[in-house]
């Protein structure tokens, strides 16, 4: 059990609601940021319990921000925790938020979980994440639920939308360098888990390959590829 799980298990502060398997993912991708001067943004504050958890986990140097549509969520503000009130599907709101926020190290989308909300938030906020930062969107099972605008393999759900990003990640291999977009140049890896997508950023350049070492097998020593024997039917027909 990692430190986040321990905190969650013994939590006696504000309510936290999380799937249990999330904590292993958090630890895997977030542990390197502990006790550093980081900026974390979580969309969807609920009762504010997870914001307190992040504050405890990352330490006093971390600046924690939250976004929620419910104006009552301003009540969960405390030292090093600031809340912005507005809709994550409102592009103008998100653009104004990032004007008042430093570049983000960790972005967690745990908001309304509709397809529009997840896609708009990604498109407006991904570029505001630092070049070595992390984007995490959770509760992606809603991509399969029609009540959230999803459906299995339904065009436009967030899972299908994110599959297009896999091609962008590999765009160096089927596009000219001049056609490669900002995502290709800034995304190092994509990690899918049950109901979660994590994208780790890094400034990327066109991949290169080379060869080292001494040739061991000569061309003549390479295994011969023998032609396949014709079937008995073909031999008789001939």
């Amino acid at each position: 059990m990692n430190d986040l799980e321990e905190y969650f298990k013994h939590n006696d502060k504000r309510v936290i609601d999380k799937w249990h398997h999330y904590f292993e993912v958090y630890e895997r991708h977030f542990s390197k940021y502990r006790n550093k001067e980081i900026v974390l943004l979580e969309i969807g504050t609920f009762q504010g319990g997870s914001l307190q958890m992040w504050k405890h986990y990352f330490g006093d140097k971390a600046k924690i921000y939250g976004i929620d549509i419910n104006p009552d969520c301003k009540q969960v503000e405390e030292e090093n925790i600031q809340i912005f009130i507005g809709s994550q599907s409102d592009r103008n709101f998100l653009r104004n938020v990032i004007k008042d926020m430093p570049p983000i190290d960790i972005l967690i989308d745990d908001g309304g979980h509709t397809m529009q909300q997840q896609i708009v938030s990604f498109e407006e906020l991904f570029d505001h994440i630092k070049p070595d930062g992390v984007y995490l969107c959770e509760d992606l099972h809603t991509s399969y639920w029609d009540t959230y605008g999803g459906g299995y393999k339904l065009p436009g759900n967030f899972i299908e939308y994110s599959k297009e990003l896999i091609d962008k990640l590999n765009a160096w291999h089927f596009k000219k360098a001049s056609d490669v977009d900002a995502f290709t140049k800034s995304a190092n890896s994509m990690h899918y888990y049950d109901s979660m997508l994590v994208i780790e950023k890094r400034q990327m350049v066109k991949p290169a390959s080379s060869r080292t070492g001494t040739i061991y097998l000569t061309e003549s020593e390479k295994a011969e590829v023998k032609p396949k024997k014709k079937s008995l039917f073909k031999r008789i027909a001939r």
Side-chain angles (χ1 to χ4, degrees), residues 45-161:
T45 66
F46 188 42
Q47 298 287 319
S50 61
L51 298 177
Q52 290 181 319
M53 179 178 71
W54 301 130
K55 178 180 174 180
H56 178 269
Y57 180 73
F58 290 108
D60 295 336
K61 297 178 182 178
K63 300 296 183 185
I64 311 296
Y65 296 88
I67 287 177
D68 206 284
I69 199 168
N70 180 2
D72 292 339
C73 289
K74 286 291 283 185
Q75 298 176 41
V76 307
E77 287 189 329
E78 58 183 64
E79 185 180 1
N80 287 346
I81 295 179
Q82 181 178 348
I83 307 299
F84 294 93
I85 302 299
S87 171
Q88 70 175 114
S89 60
D90 182 339
R91 292 183 184 272
N92 288 328
F93 165 70
L94 295 178
R95 290 170 187 174
N96 286 324
V97 165
I98 59 178
K99 288 178 183 176
D100 297 326
M101 185 186 301
I104 301 164
D105 292 279
I106 298 171
L107 189 154
I108 302 166
D109 186 347
D110 185 21
H113 310 309
T114 69
M115 305 305 99
Q116 182 189 25
Q117 289 170 324
Q118 291 172 338
I119 291 171
V120 167
S121 298
F122 173 81
E123 291 180 347
E124 294 298 329
L125 299 176
F126 186 77
D127 286 347
H128 196 63
I129 300 172
K130 290 181 183 177
D132 59 348
V134 176
Y135 162 89
L136 185 151
C137 189
E138 57 190 55
D139 292 355
L140 296 189
H141 46 267
T142 59
S143 282
Y144 306 105
W145 296 356
D146 56 5
T147 51
Y148 287 80
Y152 178 63
K153 290 192 179 295
L154 182 71
N157 75 34
F158 189 78
I159 289 288
E160 294 302 311
Y161 174 88

Side-chain angles (χ1 to χ4, degrees), residues 11 24 28 76 79 108 124 132-133 226 229 233:
N11 177 42
E24 179 184 358
R28 180 176 298 170
V76 307
E79 185 180 1
I108 302 166
E124 294 298 329
D132 59 348
K226 295 182 179 180
K229 259 188 178 179
F233 174 78

